[in-house]
Amino acid sequence: MEILSFKSLPSTQKFLLEKLEAGKLQVPVAVIAEEQSSGIGSRDNEWSGGKGNFFVSIAISLNNLPSDLPLSSSSIYFSYIMKKTLEEMGENVWLKWPNDFYLNGEKVGGTITRKMKNIVVFGIGINLKKSENGYTSLQSDISPENLLRSYIERLIKFPKWKQVFSEYQIEFELSRRFSVHIENKKKSLADATLCEDGSLIIGGNKVYSSR
């Protein structure tokens, strides 16, 4: 996978989407920036910050994804692979449904996924060193470049969704203490039912995890 490195970008995801749309980049490709000034976060919030933190966007072909992966749960899939990568590097993070990285009870990062034609583009932001965006940080000595290489190494094995989901199903229990925003309304996860396709049943309604 080609890796493009920058000192600073407004948003790794916006940059990648624009270059792909213009036909100036080919998949698979990853973009990493030391600093990000107006990155995309959940619900149109910004995810920005300085050196030492992780700002990456990756584009891959839909054809590379495992055949059993529900596209609506790709954020869970990409995020859980990152969670496993961080775990292997000694960080005790967990994944709150569907796309937020937590350390104990505090958010340290998240994933945003978009589909463009036959390409999936996903951005991952994690506060490795310091918090500059209202969230906590891992205060880790992991370098963003090493984390990206380790993540790509794990990602390109493209584990089956069934395998990822069987592990995430257990971890999902940690999410029950929290809420999620669904159609701008806060919903508790206390009594939610996690379905095999990664969606949730909340109050009798099925909610998908794609963000």
Side-chain angles (χ1 to χ4, degrees):
M1 184 182 293
E2 183 182 10
I3 298 175
L4 305 177
S5 299
F6 295 88
K7 290 283 186 188
S8 179
L9 281 176
S11 163
T12 59
Q13 191 169 78
K14 287 176 186 172
F15 174 87
L16 188 48
L17 287 166
E18 285 170 8
K19 295 299 180 186
L20 289 168
E21 190 70 49
K24 293 181 178 178
L25 287 176
Q26 302 296 318
V27 295
V29 60
V31 174
I32 184 170
E34 288 183 18
E35 297 179 297
Q36 182 170 263
S37 57
S38 56
I40 304 169
S42 296
R43 302 189 310 281
D44 297 323
N45 293 324
E46 284 194 355
W47 189 273
S48 305
K51 291 182 181 179
N53 294 323
F54 189 77
F55 309 105
V56 166
S57 288
I58 296 174
I60 54 177
S61 169
L62 287 176
N63 297 330
N64 288 129
L65 295 176
S67 58
D68 69 336
L69 174 63
L71 201 55
S72 60
S73 288
S74 54
S75 277
I76 295 174
Y77 181 81
F78 298 132
S79 299
Y80 197 76
I81 292 172
M82 174 55 81
K83 181 262 182 190
K84 295 294 286 184
T85 306
L86 285 165
E87 186 177 66
E88 198 173 64
M89 299 174 93
E91 295 296 338
N92 187 30
V93 298
W94 61 276
L95 180 63
K96 174 181 169 280
W97 190 92
N99 62 344
D100 290 331
F101 301 103
Y102 269 63
L103 178 66
N104 301 317
E106 299 287 334
K107 181 174 174 176
V108 293
T111 302
I112 293 290
T113 305
R114 296 187 180 196
K115 179 178 171 289
M116 192 181 82
K117 298 176 184 175
N118 66 334
I119 296 170
V120 174
V121 179
F122 62 99
I124 299 180
I126 302 172
N127 291 339
L128 293 176
K129 283 280 187 194
K130 53 193 174 182
S131 172
E132 296 176 348
N133 46 29
Y135 298 100
T136 194
S137 70
L138 295 178
Q139 299 182 327
S140 170
D141 289 329
I142 298 170
S143 81
E145 295 80 10
N146 287 344
L147 178 55
L148 177 58
R149 289 191 200 97
S150 297
Y151 179 69
I152 289 172
E153 195 176 302
R154 187 178 280 269
L155 173 68
I156 60 175
K157 293 175 183 175
F158 294 110
K160 293 289 187 185
W161 166 250
K162 185 178 180 181
Q163 177 188 333
V164 169
F165 180 76
S166 67
E167 293 185 31
Y168 180 64
Q169 206 171 8
I170 300 164
E171 184 159 291
F172 175 74
E173 295 304 311
L174 295 171
S175 292
R176 294 194 183 280
R177 296 178 290 135
F178 296 86
S179 299
V180 290
H181 284 87
I182 297 165
E183 295 177 353
N184 295 321
K185 292 181 181 176
K186 206 170 182 181
K187 300 279 188 179
S188 170
L189 294 173
D191 299 315
T193 300
L194 180 65
C195 305
E196 287 189 4
D197 63 356
S199 65
L200 295 183
I201 305 290
I202 301 180
N205 297 317
K206 194 161 190 173
V207 180
Y208 289 91
S209 60
S210 183
R211 284 192 192 168

